[in-house]
């Protein structure tokens, strides 16, 4: 055994609570004390937006466990409203402030686990402390927002930041009949995705009543004349609103770690190894407060998600109690629902690969876009899923995937997430056997399709081009859709030769010039590419077809 008799845990939500519960399952002998400065442990932070939106109507639904349950079920001494204010590493003690009595006391430890989470970013803007400006991290935060909405009869809200909390809150405020504006500094919402993939949701968000101001920075807040808050933008525009939510992301809470001299990583999180060990042999750290190694790129990264926090808490308990568990790295597998759309991603994005390349790292990649139906097209309510698969052109290893659509989006991303974790290739996706019945999928599932499209490019069967390439190329562009589709809107300078006429009109095409082909989503153009390829033409299929082209166009129109 490890000789650990006393384990203290700082933070009682995702990482801390799972660490405590796992430790008890591994040992009936150690004493476990968990300190939480807030009034609740083990609450559902991920459910908070839905409590604000009244989808979850009772606050008590957010509490997954109480201190009493921890005591009875796990024999863990949970002390809420007790803040750890100091770590004395020389004496292996922590100092705690009992926030109810305002008294300080100390507790010794053999093992200390830090899971203090992260703090919402609040930029030093003028007026940031005005009433009516909120962040969302805790149950009391969500209660304050609910009360403000009712008391002030809120009609309009402005959300600063279009990440997943911003989007989930937009949906939930709209559900309460509030008009929402999202102001986002970047050219896109959902920064985990590449911008052209995020663009697939803009029309939908707008049609649900959300105004989107991309490429806009908030510069300050003023008290509005009729009691509202006047939000000032960099463009000199002002928007008057009844409430503001700051959803600008989070920063790891490293207060205690820094104060006690633990090593802090380059990204600003607590440094830990793959066994969640900090630079002190008696201290472990988990969750949003730590930096983790990216599974795909090996870079250190900060990705604040509940799944990794839970797994890390479990691993820390294992290691403390003598097991050789290791964290495999973080993939950033995430999903966000926005009205009835779903956005999900796993692994590395293209923009991240490009950023890494600027540091001199050589990370080769290729990508494909596709738009398969979520289930068999003949079964009612089939909807397309926009997918992007990023992979190594050298051996087909999958590097990342993104998907946007309605039903079945997260299922596909979860499968690919597992494939990434197994270091699988696009050839494995081609072959994977997945469950099928018409209401759930297709005999060739979107995941198989993604693998096939990617594998076809790697084998040279269907070379691809990307829409970014057309500007710098003198290839001729052929649109193989039907004439009525072509009339409805085509890419500039494209020539229409419908797929059904291609074989008859093949002599119209030049043999000495490159040919780019597109259709609506890339499937008919794939067939056309094969015809021309087998006839000796220099041909490439424009990946994702016009649907992907339109997503890129949307980006351009947003940045104008
Ligand atoms: P937390 O769960 O934040 O717990 C840290 C706790 O430590 C806090 O309660 C804090 O009070 C306490 N603490 C800090 N310092 C001290 C101290 N000195 N003494 C005592 N106690 C202390 N992730 C997803 O994967 N999917 C989602 O859908 C999702 N939705 C989210 C929605 C919202 C609104 C929020 C806020 C987060 C969401 N997350 C989601 C993120 C997820 O909740 C976090 O990644 C996860 O909770 C991190 O766990 P943690 O243990 O590191 O920190």
């Amino acid at each position: 055994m490890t000789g650990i008799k006393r384990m203290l845990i700082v933070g009682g939500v995702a990482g801390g609570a799972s660490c405590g519960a796992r430790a008890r399952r591994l040992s009936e002998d150690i004493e476990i004390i968990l300190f939480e400065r807030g009034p609740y442990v083990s609450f559902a932070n991920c459910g908070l937006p839905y409590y604000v939106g009244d989808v979850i109507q009772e606050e008590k639904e957010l509490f997954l466990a109480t201190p009493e349950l921890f005591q009875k079920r796990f024999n863990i001494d949970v002390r809420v409203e007790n803040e750890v204010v100091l770590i004395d590493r020389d004496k292996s003690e922590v100092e705690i402030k009992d926030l109810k009595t305002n008294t300080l006391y100390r507790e010794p430890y053999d093992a200390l686990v830090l899971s203090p989470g992260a703090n919402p970013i609040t930029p030093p803007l003028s007026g940031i402390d005005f009433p009516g400006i909120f962040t969302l991290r805790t149950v009391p935060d969500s209660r304050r927002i609910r009360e403000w909405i009712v008391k002030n009869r809120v009609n309009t809200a402005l959300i600063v930041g279009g990440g997943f909390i911003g989007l989930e809150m937009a949906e939930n405020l709209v559900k309460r009949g509030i008009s929402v504006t999202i102001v986002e500094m970047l050219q896109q919402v959902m920064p985990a995705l590449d911008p052209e993939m995020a663009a697939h949701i803009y029309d939908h968000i707008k049609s649900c009543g959300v105004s989107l101001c991309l490429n806009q920075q908030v510069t300050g807040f003023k008290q509005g004349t009729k009691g509202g808050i006047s939000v000032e933008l960099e463009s000199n525009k002002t928007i008057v609103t009844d409430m503001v939510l700051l959803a600008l992301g989070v920063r790891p809470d490293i207060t205690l770690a820094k104060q006690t001299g633990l090593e802090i990583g380059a990204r600003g999180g607590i440094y830990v190894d793959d066994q969640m060990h900090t630079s002190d042999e008696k201290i472990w750290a988990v969750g949003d407060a730590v930096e983790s190694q990216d599974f795909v790129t090996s870079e250190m990264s900060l990705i604040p998600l509940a799944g990794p926090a839970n797994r890390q808490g479990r691993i820390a308990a294992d290691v403390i109690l003598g097991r050789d568990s290791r964290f495999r790295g973080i993939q950033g597998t995430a999903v966000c629902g926005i009205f009835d759309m779903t956005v999900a991603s796993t692994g590395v994005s293209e923009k991240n690969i490009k950023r890494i390349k600027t540091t001199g790292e050589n990370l080769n990649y290729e990508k494909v876009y596709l738009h398969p139906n979520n289930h068999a097209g003949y079964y009612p309510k089939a909807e397309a899923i926009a997918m992007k698969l990023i992979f190594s052109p050298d051996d087909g290893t999958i590097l990342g995937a993104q998907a946007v659509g309605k039903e079945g989006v997260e299922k596909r991303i979860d499968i690919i997430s597992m494939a990434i974790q197994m270091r699988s290739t696009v050839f494995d996706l081609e072959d994977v056997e997945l469950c099928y019945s018409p209401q759930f999928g297709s005999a060739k599932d979107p995941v198989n399709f993604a693998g096939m499209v990617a594998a076809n490019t790697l084998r040279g069967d269907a070379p691809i081009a990307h829409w970014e390439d057309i500007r710098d190329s003198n290839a001729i562009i052929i649109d193989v859709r039907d004439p009525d589709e072509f009339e409805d809107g085509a890419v500039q300078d494209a020539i229409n030769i419908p797929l059904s006429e291609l074989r008859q009109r093949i002599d119209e095409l030049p043999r000495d010039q490159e040919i780019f082909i597109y259709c609506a989503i890339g499937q008919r153009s794939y067939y056309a590419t094969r015809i021309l390829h087998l006839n000796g033409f220099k041909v490439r299929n424009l990946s994702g077809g016009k649907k992907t082209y339109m997503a890129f166009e949307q980006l351009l129109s947003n940045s104008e």
Side-chain angles (χ1 to χ4, degrees), residues 66-79:
T66 59
E68 295 71 36
L69 183 134
F70 268 98
Q71 183 63 62
K72 280 192 190 138
R73 187 173 291 174
F74 300 116
N75 187 22
I76 295 176
D77 177 0
V78 170
R79 302 185 190 170

Side-chain angles (χ1 to χ4, degrees), residues 10-16 35-38 40 43 45-49 82-85 115-118 136-137 164-165 168 253 256 286-289 304-307 309 335:
V10 183
V13 191
F35 302 98
E36 169 54 56
R37 72 174 163 213
Y40 310 107
F43 64 88
N45 356 32
C46 309
L48 297 178
N82 273 249
E83 180 173 9
V84 174
V85 289
S115 186
L136 181 62
R137 182 82 195 172
F164 72 85
I165 294 180
E168 287 177 355
D253 185 340
L256 282 174
V286 303
D288 288 359
L305 289 171
V335 60

Side-chain angles (χ1 to χ4, degrees), residues 76-354:
I76 295 176
D77 177 0
V78 170
R79 302 185 190 170
V80 291
E81 295 181 82
N82 273 249
E83 180 173 9
V84 174
V85 289
L86 185 136
I87 301 171
D88 184 340
R89 289 165 62 189
D90 294 334
K91 292 187 180 154
S92 298
E93 286 180 357
V94 295
E95 186 163 286
I96 305 114
K97 186 176 192 181
D98 184 331
L99 301 174
K100 287 169 278 190
T101 57
N102 243 341
T103 48
L104 291 172
Y105 64 101
R106 284 189 164 224
E107 293 284 1
Y109 62 82
D110 299 320
L112 175 65
V113 179
L114 304 178
S115 186
N119 296 315
I121 294 172
T122 47
L125 298 175
S126 60
I128 192 100
D129 296 326
F130 283 154
I133 302 181
F134 300 94
T135 55
L136 181 62
R137 182 82 195 172
T138 63
V139 176
D141 289 341
S142 59
R143 196 185 298 146
R144 278 190 286 274
I145 297 172
R146 280 173 67 104
E147 284 166 5
W148 181 269
I149 289 171
V150 174
K151 198 168 136 219
N152 296 279
R153 297 194 182 147
V154 166
N155 286 316
T156 53
L158 184 139
I159 296 174
V160 192
F164 72 85
I165 294 180
L167 292 182
E168 287 177 355
M169 280 297 288
E171 173 182 340
N172 280 288
L173 292 172
V174 167
K175 277 188 184 137
R176 295 194 64 139
I178 296 169
S179 292
V180 175
T181 301
I182 298 177
V183 177
E184 167 58 61
M185 181 176 93
L186 302 174
Q187 61 158 337
Q188 67 170 102
V189 297
M190 281 302 283
L193 266 68
D194 287 314
E196 77 283 8
M197 292 301 291
H200 286 291
I201 64 170
Y202 297 154
D203 287 345
H204 186 67
I205 301 184
K206 288 177 195 163
S207 74
C208 293
V210 175
S211 308
L212 212 49
C213 298
L214 298 175
N215 300 302
Q216 297 267 5
Q217 213 164 335
V218 172
T219 52
F221 304 96
K222 282 199 176 133
Q223 211 75 67
T225 43
K226 289 179 192 152
I229 301 158
S230 179
V231 185
E232 298 175 334
L233 305 184
E234 202 181 19
S235 59
N236 286 331
K237 194 176 161 191
T238 50
I239 300 174
V240 179
T241 182
D242 298 331
M243 67 167 273
V244 173
L245 178 83
L246 302 172
L248 293 156
V250 293
R251 271 202 196 98
D253 185 340
I254 56 169
T255 324
L256 282 174
K258 223 169 146 183
Q259 162 262 328
T260 199
L262 294 180
E263 188 177 338
I264 304 299
R267 304 297 308 276
I270 303 172
Y271 165 81
V272 286
D273 64 14
D274 63 354
Q275 296 200 303
M276 312 321 295
H277 228 145
T278 67
S279 52
D280 182 302
E281 62 169 356
K282 287 187 169 181
I283 307 179
W284 285 257
V286 303
D288 288 359
V290 306
E291 296 191 358
S292 302
Q293 192 166 41
D294 187 291
F295 186 82
V296 176
T297 66
S298 301
E299 275 196 318
M300 295 312 286
S301 63
L302 293 168
I303 303 183
L305 289 171
N310 274 279
R311 291 203 308 285
Q312 292 176 345
R314 190 181 154 92
I315 288 167
D318 278 4
V319 174
I320 290 167
L321 289 158
R323 297 197 176 195
D324 186 27
S325 297
R326 284 167 199 277
F327 186 62
R328 294 184 186 183
I330 201 148
Q331 275 171 244
T333 308
V335 60
C336 174
I338 172 81
F339 301 100
D340 53 351
M341 288 198 82
T342 310
V343 179
S345 60
T346 185
V348 70
S349 61
E350 184 180 3
K351 67 182 174 190
N352 241 348
I353 296 180
K354 285 182 174 161

Side-chain angles (χ1 to χ4, degrees), residues 340 371-375 379-385 405-407:
D340 53 351
H371 303 272
N373 279 336
N374 64 324
H375 60 61
Y379 189 84
K381 297 192 182 154
E383 297 267 3
I385 299 177
K406 291 192 170 166
E407 283 176 14

Side-chain angles (χ1 to χ4, degrees), residues 1-2 4 7 22-23 26-27 30 316-323:
M1 283 308 288
T2 57
I4 304 279
M7 176 174 168
R22 172 72 175 167
L26 296 180
S27 166
I30 60 164
D318 278 4
V319 174
I320 290 167
L321 289 158
R323 297 197 176 195

